[in-house]
C-alpha cells in the first residue's frame, strides 16, 4: 500500500570534530499545508491554464505536464522506507524517510 | 494513514516520544503490515520483497592491511516501488536527453533504446532485481546487494 511520506530525517556531518547538522522534517504537517497552497495556486491559475490549453493543446506539452504531475505524486508516495546511510570514515550522510 | 500511524505522530507532536522512537515505531508498523500482506498474499505467490538493500561493510581487521577503515560503511535501502516509479519517469525524458542516454549506453556496449522501454519490461526488470542477490567479498570489505 502506498502512502505519502510522513517524516524525513537528515544527518550530515564530519566524524572527527562532530560538526554537522541533524534535522527532522515533519512532512505530515508540511504536506497538507503545501497541498492547500498548491490547490489555491491551481485555482487561481486555472482560467489562464484553460485558455492556454485551448491554444497549445496541439503542441503536446500538456500531456507531458499531466503525466509529469502524476509521475511526481507516484514517486513521492513511493518514498517511505528509503534509507541512505553512508559513512566514508570522515563524513556521514544519513537520510531516512518513513 | 492508519490509526496507529496517527497515534504515533500525535505522540511525537506532543513530545511524548522523540524522532528515533518514532522511526522505530513506524518501521515496526510497516513490518506488521508487511507480514499481514504476506499472510494474505499467499494466493498472489507469497510475499514479495519490498526493498532493495546495498550493504558495504569492512571486514574485521581490514584496517591493518591498509584497506577500508572500520568506520567506512554503506547501508542503503531503496523501496522497489520507488524504482518502479522512477523508471516510469523515463517516458518523460525529452528526446534530446533520451538520445544522449542511448548514446552513453552504446558507448558502454549496450544496444538499448530507453524510449522503447515498456511497462512489461519494467516489471520484468524489477522482478529480476527482486530475485537477484550479489555477494562480493574482497580482502578489505564485503559488498552485498539483495532484496528483502
Amino acid at each position: 500500500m502506498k502512502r505519502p511520506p510522513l517524516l524525513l530525517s537528515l544527518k550530515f556531518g564530519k566524524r572527527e570534530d562532530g560538526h554537522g547538522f541533524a534535522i527532522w522534517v515533519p512532512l505530515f504537517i508540511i504536506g497538507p499545508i503545501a497541498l492547500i497552497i498548491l490547490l489555491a495556486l491551481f485555482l487561481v491559475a486555472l482560467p489562464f491554464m484553460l485558455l492556454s490549453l485551448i491554444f497549445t493543446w496541439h503542441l503536446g506539452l500538456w500531456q507531458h505536464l499531466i503525466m509529469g504531475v502524476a509521475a511526481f505524486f507516484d514517486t513521492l508516495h513511493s518514498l517511505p522506507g528509503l534509507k541512505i546511510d553512508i559513512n566514508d570514515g570522515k563524513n556521514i550522510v544519513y537520510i531516512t524517510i518513513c | 494513514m492508519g490509526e496507529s500511524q496517527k497515534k504515533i505522530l500525535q505522540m511525537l507532536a506532543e513530545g511524548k516520544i522523540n524522532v528515533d522512537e518514532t522511526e522505530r515505531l513506524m518501521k515496526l508498523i510497516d513490518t506488521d503490515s508487511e507480514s499481514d500482506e504476506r499472510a494474505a498474499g499467499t494466493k498472489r505467490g507469497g510475499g514479495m520483497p519490498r526493498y532493495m538493500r546495498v550493504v558495504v561493510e569492512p571486514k574485521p581487521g581490514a584496517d591493518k592491511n591498509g584497506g577500508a577503515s572500520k568506520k567506512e560503511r554503506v547501508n542503503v535501502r531503496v523501496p522497489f516501488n520507488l524504482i518502479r516509479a522512477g523508471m516510469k519517469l523515463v517516458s518523460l525524458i525529452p528526446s534530446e536527453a533520451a538520445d544522449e542516454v542511448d548514446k552513453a549506453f552504446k558507448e558502454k556496449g549496450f544496444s538499448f533504446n530507453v524510449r522503447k522501454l515498456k511497462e512489461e519490461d519494467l516489471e520484468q526488470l524489477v522482478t529480476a532485481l527482486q530475485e537477484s542477490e550479489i555477494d562480493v567479498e574482497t580482502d578489505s570489505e564485503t559488498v552485498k546487494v539483495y532484496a528483502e
Side-chain angles (χ1 to χ4, degrees), chain A residues 1 3 6-7 9 24 28 64 67-68 71 74-75 78 80-89 94 96, chain B residues 1 5 9 12 19 22-23 26 30 37 51 71-77 79 81-82 85 88-89 92:
Chain A
M1 190 187 79
R3 61 165 172 82
L6 302 172
L7 206 62
S9 178
W24 66 274
F28 64 96
H64 270 92
M67 276 170 68
D74 191 26
T75 309
S78 306
L82 179 72
K83 179 184 172 185
I84 297 167
D85 181 8
I86 297 169
N87 183 347
D88 70 351
Y94 181 81
T96 52
Chain B
M1 199 192 314
Q5 286 160 339
L9 293 174
L12 175 70
V19 180
T22 309
E23 259 179 43
M26 286 289 198
D30 281 348
E37 273 173 27
Y51 303 107
K71 293 167 189 168
E72 287 179 27
R73 58 181 162 73
V74 173
N75 186 356
V76 177
R77 185 181 67 191
N81 277 340
L82 185 61
K88 279 178 194 165
L89 292 173
L92 298 170

Side-chain angles (χ1 to χ4, degrees), chain B:
Chain B
M1 199 192 314
E3 275 303 310
S4 323
Q5 286 160 339
K6 272 184 194 168
K7 258 186 191 171
I8 292 168
L9 293 174
Q10 202 176 346
M11 281 160 74
L12 175 70
E14 287 167 2
K16 286 180 183 169
I17 53 172
N18 62 29
V19 180
D20 288 336
E21 287 165 338
T22 309
E23 259 179 43
R24 271 202 296 273
L25 287 170
M26 286 289 198
K27 204 175 166 188
L28 276 174
I29 287 176
D30 281 348
T31 316
D32 279 354
S33 63
E34 194 178 324
S35 49
D36 286 350
E37 273 173 27
R38 274 187 189 160
T42 40
K43 285 173 199 166
R44 288 178 274 149
M48 292 293 278
R50 291 177 62 188
Y51 303 107
M52 187 171 172
R53 293 289 304 268
V54 179
V55 181
V56 182
E57 280 173 340
K59 273 189 169 177
D63 220 359
K64 294 168 198 166
N65 307 331
S69 152
K70 268 186 181 176
K71 293 167 189 168
E72 287 179 27
R73 58 181 162 73
V74 173
N75 186 356
V76 177
R77 185 181 67 191
V78 183
F80 277 112
N81 277 340
L82 185 61
I83 298 174
R84 278 194 192 93
M87 289 176 88
K88 279 178 194 165
L89 292 173
V90 166
S91 59
L92 298 170
I93 297 175
S95 56
E96 295 85 359
D99 288 340
E100 286 296 316
V101 173
D102 291 342
K103 211 172 118 186
F105 270 121
K106 267 186 189 158
E107 277 170 14
K108 298 277 180 192
F110 295 102
S111 176
F112 186 72
N113 191 335
V114 80
R115 277 166 296 184
K116 285 186 182 167
L117 208 59
K118 291 175 199 157
E119 188 88 27
E120 309 94 71
D121 301 333
L122 292 182
E123 270 315 309
Q124 272 183 4
L125 196 64
V126 172
T127 310
L129 275 174
Q130 284 173 334
E131 288 163 3
S132 63
E133 192 174 326
I134 299 163
D135 204 342
V136 181
E137 282 198 27
T138 66
D139 292 339
S140 57
E141 52 204 13
T142 312
V143 181
K144 282 181 182 172
V145 181
Y146 58 96
E148 69 170 18

Side-chain angles (χ1 to χ4, degrees), chain A:
Chain A
M1 190 187 79
K2 286 186 180 181
R3 61 165 172 82
L6 302 172
L7 206 62
L8 166 69
S9 178
L10 294 170
K11 279 178 203 166
F12 294 99
K14 290 196 172 182
R15 215 171 218 286
E16 295 152 349
D17 51 11
H19 282 158
F21 77 95
I23 187 173
W24 66 274
V25 185
L27 297 172
F28 64 96
I29 295 173
I30 297 168
I33 296 168
L35 202 69
I36 290 166
I37 293 170
L38 276 175
L39 199 67
L41 286 173
F42 176 74
L43 288 174
V44 170
L46 190 62
F48 305 104
M49 281 169 72
L50 285 173
L51 263 179
S52 55
L53 192 141
I54 292 164
F55 294 109
T56 58
W57 181 261
H58 65 282
L59 296 173
L61 296 169
W62 289 92
Q63 290 94 319
H64 270 92
L65 185 72
I66 292 163
M67 276 170 68
V69 171
F72 169 75
F73 279 102
D74 191 26
T75 309
L76 194 74
H77 283 71
S78 306
L79 281 173
L82 179 72
K83 179 184 172 185
I84 297 167
D85 181 8
I86 297 169
N87 183 347
D88 70 351
K90 292 174 188 165
N91 301 299
I92 301 166
V93 175
Y94 181 81
I95 303 167
T96 52
I97 298 173
C98 60

